[in-house]
Amino acid sequence: MADLITAIKKVLEHTDLVLGWTTATSTGVAAPARFYTADEAEAAVFDSTCVHNLAVHLPRLKDKDVGIVAKPCDAQSVVELVVEREVARGKVKVIAAPCRAMLDVKLIWRRFGYGARIEDEGGRLQVNGREVPREDFILRKCLSCESTDPVIVDEQVEGDGHTGGPPDVGGRTDDLKERFAAMSVDERRAFWAEQFSRCIRCYACRDVCPMCFCRDVCLMQTRVPHWTGGSVESRDSEMAQMIRVSHLAGRCTGCGECERACPVGIPLLLLMNEQYRLIEEMFDYRPGSDIEARPPMQTFSIETDLWEGG
Amino acid sequence: MSDLKLIGFLCNWCSYAGADMAGTSRMKQPSGLRIIRLPCTGRVNPLLIQKAFQEGADGVLVSGCHPGDCHYNEGNYYARRRLELLKRMLPAWGIDPQRFHYTWVSASEGARWAEVVAEFQARIEALGKLEMGYPGGDVVSQVS
């Protein structure tokens, strides 16, 4: 156990750079940063506005030895990247940071004004110096967090918060998830047809996803074969998302970056969570939980795959 | 004949031959199914099924060799995982999973093929047309 800056400095002795966070000068909340030297590492922070999953950078830093500050959910992405052979275990050092459920910064700023000062100490949230109920501003994905202890840890950062297991969310539940679960099939059809009519095809959902590493050959953008058009019609946008969701089967760890990055607020995590649940139900597999695993969609079992097609 | 659109993705080696046998044996079967022949069910990208629904299909049937009998030894084992996952995902997408069926029919099972088609046709007729609900209607745009 060490404090964050000491841990980063220690890892920097054996790596080219460390991916972490620093305080953004413009807004005062955490922004991703790369630390190459011990001096630079002095500016590192870790707080409950460190929402980003920095594992997305790893496949593009294959030629480097990289350290990464990771929440339990981010660490799962690192594991799955190793499983998918996108990242060599020997080339990455995980600096595990404890998480007390991240804050929905956009939500706070919508309520209290852009750039409102956020202080979160010992489970008490203050905005512009006034205490507000922390549980009201927790990021949606954290309400149904199922992250377990990271299976690869090279340095553990001290601090309060969970290293694995669900964080304390003050008893709040995910209203949207419950409402979606209660919908009929027809209601869900109307729900998605409406949701995707807002999609602007910016591909942020793909670009922030650590497991979307096809990059230049992504089917969402390829027009030959013509799986989907580039229009912003609900039909085309939904097919693009169907492509993304199906390509993440058995690989998505449910980090929720797709939904967080979406500029028009499409609740993509509803789909990712459901697929994650099905993968566990069908194959007893939780992406990001076993570094020796064989991804379930890349194999089969004659003995246990006994479904009949319904 | 109803205006329902049923699409069948059939593997070349078993189910397509089975369907052929049902035909040459003059077995009675509904005529609503449009068959697309593929080399193997392992070729069936689950997206083909979702795409079919988007482009106006009311039901999609996938049929291949029985497990253990795949012409390519293991194509249908991979297919089974993908197809089963899709079937379970369809409700989340707002598509009744009853509209998608996958099964195994061998080249010698002409009679069974006729049954499979009749059952599937009846099931989709009971469900009626699929409305995808896109703003501006379900009209399929022209693809190049």
Side-chain angles (χ1 to χ4, degrees):
Chain A
M1 295 278 243
D3 69 87
L4 176 72
I5 291 166
T6 312
I8 294 177
K9 284 180 179 170
K10 202 166 151 197
V11 167
L12 268 175
E13 288 168 19
H14 312 284
T15 56
D16 298 312
L17 74 157
V18 168
L19 303 169
W21 288 270
T22 190
T23 304
T25 44
S26 55
T27 56
V29 298
R34 293 180 178 197
F35 306 110
Y36 291 87
T37 65
D39 279 352
E40 288 173 359
E42 293 290 343
V45 296
F46 184 81
D47 60 31
S48 44
T49 62
C50 294
V51 289
H52 326 79
N53 185 346
L54 303 175
V56 68
H57 296 289
L58 293 177
R60 282 175 281 191
L61 292 167
K62 277 179 196 170
D63 56 332
K64 300 263 198 303
D65 289 292
V66 186
I68 178 171
V69 184
K71 304 183 288 293
C73 51
D74 306 340
Q76 291 181 325
S77 300
V78 179
V79 171
E80 196 59 20
L81 283 168
V82 173
V83 167
E84 298 268 350
R85 299 181 193 189
E86 277 298 307
V87 173
R89 173 66 188 99
K91 300 279 279 181
V92 63
K93 294 249 179 292
V94 174
I95 304 168
C99 173
R100 208 192 302 117
M102 290 289 128
L103 294 171
D104 190 335
V105 175
K106 271 195 273 186
L107 182 64
I108 294 174
W109 285 352
R110 206 153 60 225
R111 194 76 60 82
F112 298 97
Y114 181 79
R117 200 172 74 254
I118 299 168
E119 289 158 299
D120 186 35
E121 288 280 332
R124 290 175 58 195
L125 174 65
Q126 296 199 335
V127 180
N128 286 337
R130 255 189 52 224
E131 186 159 347
V132 294
R134 189 178 194 278
E135 60 271 20
D136 290 355
F137 297 98
I138 288 171
L139 205 59
R140 193 173 87 78
K141 69 163 181 179
C142 301
L143 294 176
S144 45
C145 172
E146 291 186 39
S147 300
T148 50
D149 289 323
V151 296
I152 52 176
V153 176
D154 298 293
E155 288 293 330
Q156 177 71 52
V157 177
E158 65 195 13
D160 55 344
H162 82 133
T163 50
D168 177 14
V169 294
R172 252 198 75 192
T173 52
D174 186 346
D175 302 340
L176 179 61
K177 201 173 177 182
E178 285 166 13
R179 216 166 68 231
F180 183 76
M183 282 184 204
S184 71
V185 166
D186 290 345
E187 285 167 341
R188 286 181 192 167
R189 182 89 299 280
F191 178 80
W192 289 124
E194 191 276 325
Q195 291 289 333
F196 286 113
S197 70
R198 284 185 281 130
C199 176
I200 55 170
R201 301 300 285 281
C202 67
Y203 302 104
C205 50
R206 176 200 63 189
D207 290 348
V208 291
C209 177
M211 303 316 296
C212 281
F213 40 70
C214 299
R215 306 296 169 208
D216 296 340
V217 288
C218 177
L219 262 195
M220 285 172 85
Q221 264 179 312
T222 308
R223 299 292 172 256
V224 183
H226 201 286
W227 277 106
T228 183
S231 82
V232 289
E233 300 272 331
S234 187
R235 163 195 309 278
D236 279 348
S237 303
E238 185 174 31
M239 177 46 71
Q241 209 51 235
M242 285 171 168
I243 292 169
R244 201 184 67 85
V245 172
S246 92
H247 286 185
L248 287 166
R251 311 164 62 231
C252 172
T253 59
C255 78
E257 282 292 86
C258 45
E259 176 171 316
R260 188 187 61 78
C262 181
V264 294
I266 301 173
L268 297 168
L269 201 50
L270 292 173
L271 295 162
M272 306 323 295
N273 279 347
E274 175 63 3
Q275 185 162 264
Y276 184 93
R277 190 187 69 77
L278 290 172
I279 292 288
E280 188 175 17
E281 178 181 288
M282 290 172 66
F283 310 116
D284 193 22
Y285 182 72
R286 295 167 63 101
S289 66
D290 178 6
I291 204 153
E292 305 289 337
R294 181 91 189 262
M297 304 315 283
Q298 295 175 24
T299 183
F300 59 85
S301 160
I302 296 171
E303 293 77 28
T304 57
D305 294 354
L306 299 171
W307 309 291
E308 289 289 348
Chain B
M1 197 182 129
S2 70
D3 62 346
L4 293 172
K5 288 199 179 89
L6 275 63
I7 307 293
F9 292 105
L10 272 59
C11 95
N12 177 51
W13 304 99
C14 294
S15 294
Y16 194 85
D20 208 27
M21 186 183 194
T24 52
S25 313
R26 317 248 162 195
M27 286 169 189
K28 216 169 151 49
Q29 50 177 310
S31 54
L33 186 77
R34 292 145 207 237
I35 292 174
I36 297 168
R37 180 165 64 157
L38 295 171
C40 177
T41 47
R43 169 63 181 86
V44 181
N45 185 335
L47 289 166
L48 286 171
I49 296 149
Q50 284 168 290
K51 184 78 173 164
F53 283 128
Q54 256 206 352
E55 301 291 316
D58 303 298
V60 181
L61 176 66
V62 174
S63 185
C65 306
H66 286 272
D69 290 344
C70 179
H71 185 78
Y72 306 102
N73 298 328
E74 51 192 35
N76 55 4
Y77 289 131
Y78 287 104
R80 182 161 55 181
R81 287 203 157 189
R82 295 172 194 150
L83 298 175
E84 181 65 24
L85 178 63
L86 175 72
K87 191 163 177 71
R88 294 184 193 207
M89 258 316 266
L90 283 178
W93 284 109
I95 296 172
D96 192 330
Q98 292 286 309
R99 293 185 182 276
F100 166 54
H101 180 53
Y102 70 93
T103 189
W104 323 112
V105 172
S106 80
S108 62
E109 293 177 318
R112 190 174 125 67
W113 172 255
E115 268 171 43
V116 165
V117 179
E119 271 175 37
F120 190 61
Q121 173 95 23
R123 189 201 283 186
I124 302 304
E125 271 170 14
L127 289 168
K129 284 207 75 68
L130 170 64
E131 303 286 345
M132 292 298 279
Y134 296 121
D138 276 8
V139 182
V140 178
S141 56
Q142 193 66 45
V143 295
S144 54

mmCIF file of all heavy atoms in Angstrom, chain A residues 34-56:
data_model
loop_
_atom_site.group_PDB
_atom_site.id
_atom_site.type_symbol
_atom_site.label_atom_id
_atom_site.label_comp_id
_atom_site.label_asym_id
_atom_site.label_seq_id
_atom_site.Cartn_x
_atom_site.Cartn_y
_atom_site.Cartn_z
ATOM 1 N N ARG A 34 -0.935 11.689 -18.963
ATOM 2 C CA ARG A 34 0.144 10.714 -19.102
ATOM 3 C C ARG A 34 1.353 11.242 -18.334
ATOM 4 O O ARG A 34 1.768 12.378 -18.524
ATOM 5 C CB ARG A 34 0.504 10.526 -20.569
ATOM 6 C CG ARG A 34 -0.617 9.870 -21.347
ATOM 7 C CD ARG A 34 -0.264 9.692 -22.802
ATOM 8 N NE ARG A 34 -1.364 9.011 -23.474
ATOM 9 C CZ ARG A 34 -1.264 8.411 -24.650
ATOM 10 N NH1 ARG A 34 -0.111 8.405 -25.298
ATOM 11 N NH2 ARG A 34 -2.305 7.814 -25.183
ATOM 12 N N PHE A 35 1.913 10.410 -17.495
ATOM 13 C CA PHE A 35 3.081 10.800 -16.712
ATOM 14 C C PHE A 35 4.288 10.024 -17.214
ATOM 15 O O PHE A 35 4.278 8.796 -17.222
ATOM 16 C CB PHE A 35 2.858 10.508 -15.224
ATOM 17 C CG PHE A 35 1.591 11.132 -14.691
ATOM 18 C CD1 PHE A 35 0.504 10.344 -14.329
ATOM 19 C CD2 PHE A 35 1.485 12.512 -14.581
ATOM 20 C CE1 PHE A 35 -0.663 10.916 -13.845
ATOM 21 C CE2 PHE A 35 0.311 13.092 -14.098
ATOM 22 C CZ PHE A 35 -0.768 12.296 -13.732
ATOM 23 N N TYR A 36 5.308 10.792 -17.649
ATOM 24 C CA TYR A 36 6.517 10.154 -18.167
ATOM 25 C C TYR A 36 7.667 10.209 -17.166
ATOM 26 O O TYR A 36 8.579 9.412 -17.230
ATOM 27 C CB TYR A 36 6.961 10.841 -19.476
ATOM 28 C CG TYR A 36 6.012 10.598 -20.630
ATOM 29 C CD1 TYR A 36 4.908 11.427 -20.844
ATOM 30 C CD2 TYR A 36 6.213 9.521 -21.500
ATOM 31 C CE1 TYR A 36 4.040 11.202 -21.897
ATOM 32 C CE2 TYR A 36 5.350 9.294 -22.564
ATOM 33 C CZ TYR A 36 4.264 10.130 -22.756
ATOM 34 O OH TYR A 36 3.401 9.906 -23.793
ATOM 35 N N THR A 37 7.604 11.193 -16.255
ATOM 36 C CA THR A 37 8.702 11.364 -15.299
ATOM 37 C C THR A 37 8.161 11.484 -13.881
ATOM 38 O O THR A 37 6.971 11.771 -13.678
ATOM 39 C CB THR A 37 9.495 12.654 -15.603
ATOM 40 O OG1 THR A 37 8.618 13.779 -15.393
ATOM 41 C CG2 THR A 37 10.026 12.676 -17.015
ATOM 42 N N ALA A 38 9.046 11.278 -12.913
ATOM 43 C CA ALA A 38 8.654 11.387 -11.510
ATOM 44 C C ALA A 38 8.166 12.802 -11.195
ATOM 45 O O ALA A 38 7.225 12.990 -10.421
ATOM 46 C CB ALA A 38 9.833 11.017 -10.613
ATOM 47 N N ASP A 39 8.756 13.797 -11.817
ATOM 48 C CA ASP A 39 8.315 15.175 -11.591
ATOM 49 C C ASP A 39 6.881 15.380 -12.046
ATOM 50 O O ASP A 39 6.072 15.989 -11.352
ATOM 51 C CB ASP A 39 9.234 16.159 -12.353
ATOM 52 C CG ASP A 39 10.524 16.428 -11.594
ATOM 53 O OD1 ASP A 39 10.616 15.966 -10.428
ATOM 54 O OD2 ASP A 39 11.427 17.070 -12.163
ATOM 55 N N GLU A 40 6.595 14.858 -13.228
ATOM 56 C CA GLU A 40 5.226 15.000 -13.747
ATOM 57 C C GLU A 40 4.222 14.303 -12.840
ATOM 58 O O GLU A 40 3.092 14.764 -12.665
ATOM 59 C CB GLU A 40 5.140 14.403 -15.159
ATOM 60 C CG GLU A 40 5.828 15.238 -16.225
ATOM 61 C CD GLU A 40 5.876 14.534 -17.579
ATOM 62 O OE1 GLU A 40 5.383 13.389 -17.697
ATOM 63 O OE2 GLU A 40 6.423 15.124 -18.512
ATOM 64 N N ALA A 41 4.667 13.207 -12.238
ATOM 65 C CA ALA A 41 3.756 12.415 -11.409
ATOM 66 C C ALA A 41 3.273 13.162 -10.166
ATOM 67 O O ALA A 41 2.253 12.799 -9.584
ATOM 68 C CB ALA A 41 4.432 11.102 -11.000
ATOM 69 N N GLU A 42 3.975 14.211 -9.795
ATOM 70 C CA GLU A 42 3.551 15.016 -8.640
ATOM 71 C C GLU A 42 2.145 15.590 -8.849
ATOM 72 O O GLU A 42 1.451 15.920 -7.902
ATOM 73 C CB GLU A 42 4.540 16.168 -8.397
ATOM 74 C CG GLU A 42 5.936 15.750 -7.938
ATOM 75 C CD GLU A 42 5.959 15.204 -6.511
ATOM 76 O OE1 GLU A 42 4.983 15.439 -5.773
ATOM 77 O OE2 GLU A 42 6.953 14.533 -6.155
ATOM 78 N N ALA A 43 1.750 15.741 -10.110
ATOM 79 C CA ALA A 43 0.448 16.358 -10.407
ATOM 80 C C ALA A 43 -0.691 15.342 -10.437
ATOM 81 O O ALA A 43 -1.835 15.693 -10.717
ATOM 82 C CB ALA A 43 0.525 17.086 -11.744
ATOM 83 N N ALA A 44 -0.372 14.068 -10.138
ATOM 84 C CA ALA A 44 -1.399 13.033 -10.241
ATOM 85 C C ALA A 44 -2.454 13.174 -9.148
ATOM 86 O O ALA A 44 -2.142 13.545 -8.016
ATOM 87 C CB ALA A 44 -0.751 11.656 -10.159
ATOM 88 N N VAL A 45 -3.696 12.897 -9.523
ATOM 89 C CA VAL A 45 -4.777 12.859 -8.527
ATOM 90 C C VAL A 45 -5.602 11.597 -8.742
ATOM 91 O O VAL A 45 -5.577 10.980 -9.814
ATOM 92 C CB VAL A 45 -5.731 14.079 -8.641
ATOM 93 C CG1 VAL A 45 -4.992 15.366 -8.330
ATOM 94 C CG2 VAL A 45 -6.394 14.138 -10.004
ATOM 95 N N PHE A 46 -6.300 11.213 -7.683
ATOM 96 C CA PHE A 46 -7.345 10.200 -7.860
ATOM 97 C C PHE A 46 -8.496 10.574 -6.945
ATOM 98 O O PHE A 46 -8.344 10.655 -5.730
ATOM 99 C CB PHE A 46 -6.852 8.786 -7.539
ATOM 100 C CG PHE A 46 -7.907 7.757 -7.827
ATOM 101 C CD1 PHE A 46 -8.107 7.312 -9.116
ATOM 102 C CD2 PHE A 46 -8.754 7.302 -6.816
ATOM 103 C CE1 PHE A 46 -9.128 6.412 -9.405
ATOM 104 C CE2 PHE A 46 -9.776 6.402 -7.100
ATOM 105 C CZ PHE A 46 -9.953 5.950 -8.402
ATOM 106 N N ASP A 47 -9.660 10.840 -7.541
ATOM 107 C CA ASP A 47 -10.839 11.175 -6.738
ATOM 108 C C ASP A 47 -12.079 10.629 -7.449
ATOM 109 O O ASP A 47 -11.958 9.888 -8.432
ATOM 110 C CB ASP A 47 -10.922 12.693 -6.517
ATOM 111 C CG ASP A 47 -11.019 13.466 -7.832
ATOM 112 O OD1 ASP A 47 -11.587 12.916 -8.797
ATOM 113 O OD2 ASP A 47 -10.521 14.608 -7.896
ATOM 114 N N SER A 48 -13.229 10.992 -6.956
ATOM 115 C CA SER A 48 -14.441 10.391 -7.529
ATOM 116 C C SER A 48 -14.935 11.113 -8.781
ATOM 117 O O SER A 48 -16.086 10.952 -9.174
ATOM 118 C CB SER A 48 -15.540 10.313 -6.473
ATOM 119 O OG SER A 48 -15.604 11.510 -5.747
ATOM 120 N N THR A 49 -14.055 11.912 -9.405
ATOM 121 C CA THR A 49 -14.388 12.399 -10.748
ATOM 122 C C THR A 49 -13.493 11.731 -11.801
ATOM 123 O O THR A 49 -13.512 12.118 -12.962
ATOM 124 C CB THR A 49 -14.257 13.939 -10.852
ATOM 125 O OG1 THR A 49 -12.897 14.313 -10.604
ATOM 126 C CG2 THR A 49 -15.169 14.635 -9.855
ATOM 127 N N CYS A 50 -12.723 10.725 -11.367
ATOM 128 C CA CYS A 50 -11.865 9.978 -12.305
ATOM 129 C C CYS A 50 -12.713 8.910 -12.998
ATOM 130 O O CYS A 50 -12.534 7.714 -12.797
ATOM 131 C CB CYS A 50 -10.693 9.336 -11.572
ATOM 132 S SG CYS A 50 -9.558 10.547 -10.879
ATOM 133 N N VAL A 51 -13.658 9.367 -13.807
ATOM 134 C CA VAL A 51 -14.643 8.462 -14.388
ATOM 135 C C VAL A 51 -14.111 7.656 -15.571
ATOM 136 O O VAL A 51 -14.613 6.571 -15.853
ATOM 137 C CB VAL A 51 -15.899 9.237 -14.844
ATOM 138 C CG1 VAL A 51 -16.687 9.727 -13.646
ATOM 139 C CG2 VAL A 51 -15.506 10.408 -15.731
ATOM 140 N N HIS A 52 -13.108 8.186 -16.240
ATOM 141 C CA HIS A 52 -12.672 7.578 -17.508
ATOM 142 C C HIS A 52 -12.040 6.206 -17.298
ATOM 143 O O HIS A 52 -11.401 5.957 -16.299
ATOM 144 C CB HIS A 52 -11.666 8.479 -18.201
ATOM 145 C CG HIS A 52 -11.928 9.949 -17.974
ATOM 146 N ND1 HIS A 52 -11.569 10.592 -16.808
ATOM 147 C CD2 HIS A 52 -12.547 10.865 -18.737
ATOM 148 C CE1 HIS A 52 -11.942 11.874 -16.868
ATOM 149 N NE2 HIS A 52 -12.549 12.060 -18.029
ATOM 150 N N ASN A 53 -12.219 5.359 -18.300
ATOM 151 C CA ASN A 53 -11.544 4.063 -18.295
ATOM 152 C C ASN A 53 -10.312 4.194 -19.184
ATOM 153 O O ASN A 53 -10.404 4.191 -20.410
ATOM 154 C CB ASN A 53 -12.479 2.977 -18.831
ATOM 155 C CG ASN A 53 -11.857 1.595 -18.729
ATOM 156 O OD1 ASN A 53 -10.648 1.467 -18.507
ATOM 157 N ND2 ASN A 53 -12.671 0.570 -18.894
ATOM 158 N N LEU A 54 -9.148 4.306 -18.543
ATOM 159 C CA LEU A 54 -7.926 4.605 -19.296
ATOM 160 C C LEU A 54 -7.385 3.396 -20.061
ATOM 161 O O LEU A 54 -6.475 3.531 -20.883
ATOM 162 C CB LEU A 54 -6.854 5.157 -18.346
ATOM 163 C CG LEU A 54 -7.283 6.407 -17.551
ATOM 164 C CD1 LEU A 54 -6.216 6.803 -16.561
ATOM 165 C CD2 LEU A 54 -7.598 7.571 -18.496
ATOM 166 N N ALA A 55 -7.964 2.231 -19.808
ATOM 167 C CA ALA A 55 -7.510 1.013 -20.502
ATOM 168 C C ALA A 55 -7.678 1.141 -22.016
ATOM 169 O O ALA A 55 -7.060 0.403 -22.783
ATOM 170 C CB ALA A 55 -8.263 -0.213 -19.992
ATOM 171 N N VAL A 56 -8.527 2.082 -22.449
ATOM 172 C CA VAL A 56 -8.758 2.265 -23.880
ATOM 173 C C VAL A 56 -7.462 2.608 -24.617
ATOM 174 O O VAL A 56 -7.310 2.321 -25.803
ATOM 175 C CB VAL A 56 -9.840 3.359 -24.124
ATOM 176 C CG1 VAL A 56 -9.328 4.731 -23.716
ATOM 177 C CG2 VAL A 56 -10.304 3.368 -25.567
#
